[in-house]
């Protein structure tokens, strides 16, 4: 009886974890465009980097999460420099 997980099970679990990180980075990057850019943008960037480093099967989604995380920070910088505050102003 084998007490440790086989290498095949560990590889499959690692890939599944990386795929989850890729999806999470995409979702958080997308949400970050609307709310909490300062928090969700860097988290999306880190998760996308980890997913790519672990060899995710969803490489495109991880790259989109990375791009959206960077876009979050660009939107935040644009709003901050144009209004001088870190708030959204929809009303005139």
């Amino acid at each position: 009886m084998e007490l440790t997980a086989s290498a095949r099970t560990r590889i499959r679990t690692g890939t599944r974890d990386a795929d989850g990180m890729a999806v999470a980075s995409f979702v958080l990057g997308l949400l970050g465009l609307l709310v909490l850019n300062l928090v969700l943008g860097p988290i999306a960037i880190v998760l996308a980097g980890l997913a790519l480093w672990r060899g995710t099967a969803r490489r495109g989604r991880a790259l989109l999460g990375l791009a959206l995380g960077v876009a979050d920070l660009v939107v935040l910088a644009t709003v901050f420099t144009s209004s001088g505050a870190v708030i959204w102003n929809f009303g005139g």
Side-chain angles (χ1 to χ4, degrees):
M1 186 168 155
E2 187 177 324
L3 296 177
T4 61
S6 67
R8 185 176 180 158
T9 304
R10 279 183 272 149
I11 291 172
R12 188 173 40 216
T13 303
T15 303
R16 190 172 55 215
D17 289 345
D19 291 347
M21 282 188 227
V23 172
S25 72
F26 173 72
V27 170
L28 291 177
L30 201 56
L31 283 175
L33 289 174
L34 302 174
V35 293
L36 296 173
N37 323 51
L38 186 61
V39 175
L40 297 179
I43 292 173
I45 292 169
V46 168
L47 284 175
L50 284 172
L52 290 170
W53 182 68
R54 289 187 178 188
T56 181
R58 298 181 177 190
R59 184 171 168 81
R61 193 145 310 156
L63 290 173
L64 279 173
L66 182 66
L68 286 170
V70 170
D72 291 346
L73 297 178
V74 169
V75 167
L76 178 68
T78 304
V79 168
F80 183 70
T81 58
S82 67
S83 68
V86 189
I87 59 171
W88 291 93
N89 188 6
F90 288 114

